[in-house]
Amino acid sequence: MKDKALITRALLDSIIKLNPLVMVKNPIMFVVEIGFVITLILSFLPQLFGNSGVEPWFNITVSLILLFTVLFANFAEALAEGRGKAQANSLKQTKEEVIANVLKENGKVEKLSSSQLRKGDIVVITQGEMVPGDGEVIEGLASVDESAITGESAPVIKEAGGDFNSVTGGTLVISDEIKVRITRDPGESFLDKMISLVEGAERQKTPNEMALSTVLTSLTLIFMIVVVTLPFFTNYLGFQIDIPILIALLVCLIPTTIGALLSAIGIAGMDRVTQFNVLAMSGKAVEAAGDINTIILDKTGTITFGNRMASEFIPVGEAKSEELSYWAALSSLSDETPEGRSVIKLLKERGTKIDEIMTDGGKIIEFRAETRMSGIDLANGRKVRKGAVDAIKNWVRLQGGHIPTELAEETKAISKKGGTPLAVAVDDKVYGLIYLKDTVKPGMKERFEQLRKMGIKTMMCTGDNPLTAATIAKEAGVDEFIAECKPEDKIDVIKYEQQQGKLVAMTGDGTNDAPALAQADVGLAMNSGTAAAKEAANMVDLDSNPTKIIEVVSIGKQLLMTRGALTTFSIANDIAKYFAIIPAIFMMAIPEMTMLNIMRLDSPLSAILSALIFNAVIIPLLIPLAMKGVTYKPMNSNELLRKNLTIYGLGGIIVPFIGIKMIDMLITFFI
Amino acid sequence: MFTTILSMIITLFIALLLAIPMGIYLAKAFDYNITGLDKIYEPIEKCLFKIGGIKKQNQTWKQYAISLVLANSFMIVIVYMIFRLQGILPLNPSNIAGMEPTLAFNTAISFMTNTNLQHYSGESGLSYLSQMIGILFMMFAAPATALAVVIAFIRGLAGKKIGNFFIDFIRAMTRVLLPISFVAGLIFIGLGVPQTLDPSITAQTIEGTEQNIARGPVASFLSIKELGNNGGGYFGVNSAHPFENPNALSNLIQILLMLLLPTAMPFTYGRMVGSAKQGRTLFISMAMILVVFLGITLTSEYQGNPVLHDMGLQQGQGSMEGKEVRFGVGQSVLYAVVTTASETGAVNTMHDTMTPIGGMLVLSNMLLNTVFGGVGAGFINVMMYTMIAVFLSALMVGRTPEFLGKKIEVKEMKLIAVTMLIHPLLILGASAVALILPQGTEAISNPGFHGLTQIVYEYTSSAANNGSGFEGLGDATPFWNVSTAIVMFLGRYFGLVTMMAVAGSLAAKSLVPQTVGTLRTDTALFGTILLGTIFIVGALTFFPILVLGPVAEYLTL
């Protein structure tokens, strides 16, 4: 149903876009529109430019085909724009007026409409209220539902200080209360920006699109020279070609196919990025993504899951290995964090029997940021805890327990290897440590392999020591790594790569990532990150998934490929169109020209109309391709070129021969 | 037939063998770093630089382009004056009068632009002074200019400094044109080509009538005519004249000289950009067009004229109309294809009387202007098509276009887009104008399809700076003199300047490293794309006119 509305809207838009003032921005289609107007006039005043040998029905037919050619082009553009508009509309619904509780300097709370909020205002937002505008949390902690923007239903925690302090207008606070300092005036908010981006209101032609347009305009001019000079030659030879026929020839020769689809390809490319829940600030950024030579990735969270997967149990003091496993299992049975689940998973893999009945009737202790522990108070009164080593130590000491000396050594050993230790304790006794190891996300190795095939170098940044970094780098298959990397180091790496002419992409979320994000050619900020990071980047990932940068690169490449493929196809089409029209035009005066009619088209008029109809019909047929983009599988450039050249170059030569012949066979029934 | 083809294969093979070392030599000759060649040439050049007040300073592309256009324009003015005043100037033993203004205008531009379209008849229209100072000097200056520009252009692509026009111009003379043409001239003298300053002699024929036999410094003229892709004949009938092409060996040497610099250029380029493969790909692509065109032309000429065939005439030797019996169809066709491919314009056969299809192919050589092309200018044109091919195919591998590690962006594409326009605009535009004016159509000697081809040929030859003529056209009139002069001038300098701008712009860009994702321009696949681009962009533009001219003539024969 939604699609139907979209198409209706696009159909309407394609008529509105016939306005010459709009059309003139696309010189190729503007030429077609002028052709339409001239043939339309000639349909009613056939003798306007002197004697005419063709009948009015032919002029009318040509003008109708030209009209449809223009409409098809407009439709393609309108359809691409329409998708963005639909998305913008749903965003606009989010952007309803809400009442904000503004905290005045005198401590009083004043109710103001969200549109009256100014930069620097401080608002209080409590559970169940909508965040009235973009800002930073300055006090408190709350979970926020950002699904309106990200589509992700799981709420995220926002708290004062640190990298998770930014809130976006239009999102919903679902627990607790926070104080927020507004950082944007109305109309400049993230949501506003997003709406105007997806709506395409700010769309400017990208550099490559402009370069291509230049070439296409030049080709159009060349063919105009060809067609305009043609009557002089035929005049000399003693025969004339009718104006509608010349217009038909011109329209067939100029690259209308790509001219019609060019802007749709660009909009759809941006749209594909948006569909992917990544917000690109400009088409230029998407194009640049296709050219990336180096990608800088953070280790934690991007390449690996972070220090979260249990890989070993290390008992301390007099505790035995089985004892530690037993208590670790009990502490984790009702722990739904990834760490907790990984403990159970590891135990099950080792075949350890887990005594689930023990937890019956116990009181589950949830993990809290303040305590940094979780666990269970069993029905028999025993208290089981698992958590950060410091927190556990304090807890055991509080209960008068004693800390084994090896605990410190083992903790140190794990940290050194780049892992994270979790201590397990029951009442006043520490049983041992769970070694949480960094694990490479599944499929990453294959993806880096793909990137290598695309000629892209991957670089891993990590705070780990060189030894650990090397281990992970090898395991993940990245090309290079920087160990003990500080955010400032990233900017140096980017500058170094850029000095060698490379284009660099990176992801980041923290405020200290901002300079590097700004320096990178493609900077992808996480939506969960700080406002500074989002401001500096030229793309924002609404799902906050740093691996997405890889897909963004593919989309960029796909955008360029679609452009190149359809241009090649469009130009290659000219050969067949020439062989349809040229003999047809000259056959009337020089009968021997029949020899060149290699497609054996029925009559000169049917040949011209078939070529013209093919020229028009190919546009809507290629709209799906323009929208979806050419399929892209990573491979080296030569293979890729051979493949695309065969499909769109060779195909572009052959397809119109078949198409024109078929159309000719059909229309001979009517003329 | 078999021996003819064998001799052609041998000729082209020798050309190939010469092209590679010549290419390497050229790269070395223009290297500003110290090379072994400096020892030989430096003393003379230092002297010349001193006289000319030339300092070894790099120019920007703009300064380079301005130097080239101004220097050439200045030469045009000087030579124009000499032509006009030749009647009262010395070295005029045959008492030839001053040239008519439009003819002098045409001739000066014609020789400066490496075209050598001759609307005068050499032996009777020019004094020895005009031949030597005007014509011969320009026959060196024109290719030297083009050679300088192409070297500067390649320097730009290679990311080096553009260089200095005057140094390159003089080096082209001292290191390339003078030594080679000196040796070639001596060989021609040995083969019987005259080299004298004595006036023409009068001979008593067997029938008792008097015949005036023109002669002069022909050998020195001949060698630079071919080497510099000039093509202007000392005698009106050019290399069909026994003094200007005495035998099969002189014919072979002329063909080799015409091909020498144009075929060497890709190798020079490969050397200068540091990748021999880049140059080889271009060479093979161009050579393929040459061989295919040669094959079709040969077939067509050997088949002969169907009209004569229907009349029951034997044409065992092929279509011999307008060809020298001494050379036959084979050597005439090879000469015709080479002279149009290399934009030389020297002829040993009348192109006007070739079969329609044969005539179409020599015309196509000039329409494409990329089948090696004239020294310097042709290669620059090939590079223009290469960049268009790069633009399209780079997009197809999902990258914004880059060529030799430099990004091709809006600025370059704008320049290339206008350069693309100039060739069709000049040829089709000027032909259309000629066809509506009586001054234009009056010149046609053979109305109908062939007449159309005559006109298109004349302007194509001018725009591509070839200079050969479909001689049937009566073109020695003010209209033709002025119109072809304008076409020659624009056809020459417009593209040189815009492409220099492209090179200048690319030179200023930072280098993008090559990865497996980068489009490779040194593969057979890219060569194929280049050929496709040349044919679709270049040939389709002229498809209608070729259909109306030669193809219609062929079909209605």
Side-chain angles (χ1 to χ4, degrees), chain B residues 171-194:
Chain B
R171 281 193 177 191
M173 295 271 200
T174 53
R175 300 187 176 198
V176 184
L177 301 174
L178 281 169
I180 300 174
S181 61
F182 184 74
V183 175
L186 288 181
I187 296 173
F188 283 130
I189 292 172
L191 291 171
V193 177

Side-chain angles (χ1 to χ4, degrees), chain A residues 207 215 218 222 226 232-233 236 290-291 452-455 500-502 557 560-561 571 578 592-593 637 641 644, chain B residues 395-400 407 410 413 417 435-436 444 448 511 513 516-519 536 540-541 544-545 547 555:
Chain A
V215 178
S218 180
I222 288 179
V226 171
F232 293 91
F233 302 132
Y236 167 73
D291 277 345
R452 207 165 296 122
K453 272 193 202 154
M454 289 152 75
Q500 299 175 342
K502 294 181 185 175
K557 282 194 180 298
L560 294 171
M561 271 169 51
I571 298 173
Y578 251 136
E592 288 87 349
M593 286 288 170
S637 65
L641 183 58
N644 283 332
Chain B
L395 285 181
M396 278 198 287
V397 300
R399 289 181 70 93
T400 59
K407 287 265 177 226
V410 183
M413 280 330 276
L435 284 169
I436 46 164
I444 295 171
L511 215 59
V516 289
T518 314
L519 169 78
I536 291 186
L540 286 192
T541 312
I545 192 73
V547 167
L555 291 174

Side-chain angles (χ1 to χ4, degrees), chain A residues 206-208 210-215 218-219 221-223 225-226 229-230 232-237 239 249 253 287-288 290-293 451-456 498-503 556-558 560-565 567-568 571-572 574-575 578-579 582-583 586 590 592-596 632 635-642 644-645 648-649 653, chain B residues 388 391-402 407-411 413-421 424-433 435-436 441 444 446-452 455-456 510-520 523 525-526 528-529 536-537 539-545 547-549 551-557:
Chain A
T206 59
N208 177 263
M210 281 194 309
L212 183 57
S213 300
T214 314
V215 178
S218 180
L219 283 175
L221 284 173
I222 288 179
F223 286 120
I225 296 170
V226 171
T229 54
L230 197 56
F232 293 91
F233 302 132
T234 56
N235 259 355
Y236 167 73
L237 294 175
F239 65 98
L249 175 65
L253 293 182
E287 226 167 56
D291 277 345
I292 289 301
N293 301 95
L451 287 174
R452 207 165 296 122
K453 272 193 202 154
M454 289 152 75
I456 296 169
Q498 284 174 337
Q499 267 162 22
Q500 299 175 342
K502 294 181 185 175
L503 292 184
K557 282 194 180 298
Q558 205 187 17
L560 294 171
M561 271 169 51
T562 310
R563 232 178 246 161
T567 307
T568 309
I571 298 173
D574 272 5
I575 298 177
Y578 251 136
F579 274 101
I582 290 288
F586 300 150
I590 312 164
E592 288 87 349
M593 286 288 170
T594 323
M595 289 273 290
L596 290 184
Y632 172 60
M635 53 175 96
N636 76 42
S637 65
N638 231 27
E639 288 168 34
L640 197 60
L641 183 58
R642 183 168 296 126
N644 283 332
L645 197 66
Y648 301 100
I653 295 174
Chain B
I388 300 170
F391 189 84
L392 294 180
S393 36
L395 285 181
M396 278 198 287
V397 300
R399 289 181 70 93
T400 59
E402 57 200 66
K407 287 265 177 226
I408 301 183
E409 288 164 306
V410 183
K411 191 179 166 198
M413 280 330 276
K414 276 194 178 145
L415 289 163
I416 289 172
V418 291
T419 319
M420 261 163 80
L421 274 175
L425 182 65
L426 288 178
I427 294 171
L428 297 176
S431 301
V433 171
L435 284 169
I436 46 164
T441 46
I444 295 171
N446 192 347
F449 307 124
H450 191 79
L452 192 66
I455 286 191
V456 173
S510 58
L511 215 59
V512 182
Q514 302 262 321
T515 66
V516 289
T518 314
L519 169 78
R520 288 183 55 185
T523 58
L525 184 63
F526 183 75
T528 317
I529 294 173
I536 291 186
V537 178
L540 286 192
T541 312
F542 299 109
F543 187 70
I545 192 73
V547 167
L548 277 183
V551 173
E553 188 187 350
Y554 168 76
L555 291 174
T556 54
L557 214 59

